[in-house]
Amino acid sequence: MTRFALTRAVLALLATVWLAGCSEPDDPAPTPAAPVIESQKTGVRILLVGIDGATFNVIDPLIEAGDLPTLGGLIRGGARAVLESDRPMRSPALWTTVATGRTRQDHGIEHFTSEGEEAEGEPVLANSGMRRTLTIWDILGAAGRTIGVVGWWASWPAEPVRGWLVTDRMTRSRWSEWADGVKQEGLTYPAELTDELLPLIVDPLDPPMEEIRKIIELDAADEAELLAATRPVRAHGLSVLKYALSTQVTYERITDHLLARADREGGRPDFLAVFLIANDAISHTFWHYHQPEKFGSIDPERLARLGPVVANVYRRNDDYLAELIAGADESTVTIVISDHGFRPSGKLPTAGAKRRLRDAFTEEFTETEEGFETVTVGQSGVHHPAGIFVAGGGPIVAGSETDATLYDLTPTILALMGLPIPEDLPGRVLTEIIDPAFLERYPIQTVPTYERLINRRALLAGADAENDESTMEMLRSLGYIQ
Ligand SMILES: [Zn+2]
């Protein structure tokens, strides 16, 4: 075999191994790649639930009062830790650190947009193309584990995974004012999934009022204002609640749909990550009703009505967590985390500057000056570096308590799933929350790095990119060519 022919043969192999989108036209499921990472079969599956901005400062008093039965049960039967965030606390950077185990300087997503980078023209919203390092789902997929990811920050455009990935741009709102309109490409992997999921998208202009009313008791003026908002106005409570909840309901419906199908067709993904965003947006804008003692005088009628809004989001997330856990099998370790916590800013929202906001509301609403006066803008809740980590099930030790950082998620999940830990990650395996018998049976192994083993650029390259240097690099890294 000539070197050229060998290369062709290897590329043909890789076309089936790596580029799952190139399966036979009549084959509905993409061909899974052959595993290239050796691992121990621990039997552990992972359910990772990301709740943006969740804090024990809200959770603990609720649990003490007998509320949040699911999270409370998970903590009692498992482990908890304050999860130390990284400054500045920007969600795309933080959630990408969770998913990669790396610093933002390493993984490349530092801001909400490409601001500060040497991008030409308008800054673009943080996206997967800016990520320079592997995600945990890349690594687990390369070890043969199946993957499901829904709504993760900066996951658009969808990259190939061993399973399915629904990006953070699947909804219309994340966040259309930054995202330069609706992008219909790259919304999901596999791409065919997009059409199937489009009908599940909740339109914030036709919002899920039944779901909204479970969280907030609206008076007539509030309801008019909520309905009149045509985009999420920064730091405006009713519009961000509407858009954030529409986004979250969309991802819940999509997750339910995909899991129901997985249950019919041979089982849930080995690694399932679901991201819930509503808590962050609502905590920013309704915190003064949650902790009124930290603010000046608040209208007592509104306080009585809106006092439970923040707690209600936690209750809603607890109910959804119960659903996810109910469908998981006994081998599943459930991990609930946030990227940061929250604290009161001490500053009450104030009446919005009319002219600046006028285009964010329907004309009917702005015409009624009286109604428009109700618009208030301001962040009464701001990020705090103490996030949450809760884990339970499988070999997680009941009642254990520790400290953790965003960097510890990737190594800990890899250890639970029996994969060697790459030595080039700064975090650690949270061994103190894992049953020693499990660690004895599946000792923690290490590997220098996965970054050269799985070439990200090659992973993304099309099947026709035969001359692509990155594909060649990967072939070299796997020892296929010199
Ligand atoms: Zn936030």
Side-chain angles (χ1 to χ4, degrees), residues 52 89 91 112 280-281 284 339-340 342 379 383:
D52 209 299
M89 290 176 273
S91 290
F112 284 88
D280 181 81
H284 275 303
D339 54 338
H340 55 72
F342 260 92
Q379 291 202 341
H383 295 177

Side-chain angles (χ1 to χ4, degrees), residues 79-210:
R80 68 178 272 161
V82 169
L83 192 71
E84 189 194 334
S85 190
D86 265 0
R87 291 170 200 270
M89 290 176 273
R90 299 184 183 117
S91 290
L94 302 174
W95 287 108
T96 305
T97 288
V98 169
T100 59
R102 291 181 180 279
T103 64
R104 64 190 72 188
Q105 291 76 22
D106 254 15
H107 64 59
I109 295 182
E110 302 196 37
H111 299 266
F112 284 88
T113 67
S114 57
E115 78 174 275
E117 295 189 10
E118 290 164 27
E120 287 177 17
E122 288 288 295
V124 294
L125 194 61
N127 62 67
S128 62
M130 298 175 186
R131 197 194 318 118
R132 290 192 293 259
T133 61
L134 296 171
T135 58
I136 186 160
W137 48 85
D138 293 329
I139 297 167
L140 292 171
R145 310 308 165 85
T146 55
I147 302 298
V149 177
V150 181
W152 208 264
W153 271 106
S155 59
W156 179 90
E159 299 166 320
V161 295
R162 183 191 293 271
W164 36 265
L165 184 147
V166 179
T167 66
D168 57 332
R169 304 249 188 123
M170 189 66 203
T171 58
R172 294 162 50 120
S173 69
R174 188 76 169 289
W175 297 80
S176 47
E177 62 181 309
W178 311 339
D180 180 40
V182 181
K183 296 237 179 9
Q184 292 283 359
E185 277 170 36
L187 296 179
T188 63
Y189 179 86
E192 306 85 79
L193 209 51
T194 300
D195 283 345
E196 184 183 325
L197 301 180
L198 280 175
L200 300 174
I201 294 180
V202 175
D203 181 356
L205 298 180
D206 180 17
M209 292 308 292
E210 206 177 304

Side-chain angles (χ1 to χ4, degrees), residues 219 221-222 224-226 236 238 302 350-352 361 365 368-377:
D219 67 9
D222 283 346
E225 188 172 318
L226 177 134
H236 168 248
L238 292 166
R302 291 179 73 83
T350 53
F361 294 88
F365 188 69
T368 317
E369 285 299 317
E370 208 179 303
F372 202 78
E373 292 294 339
T374 63
V375 174
T376 58
V377 172

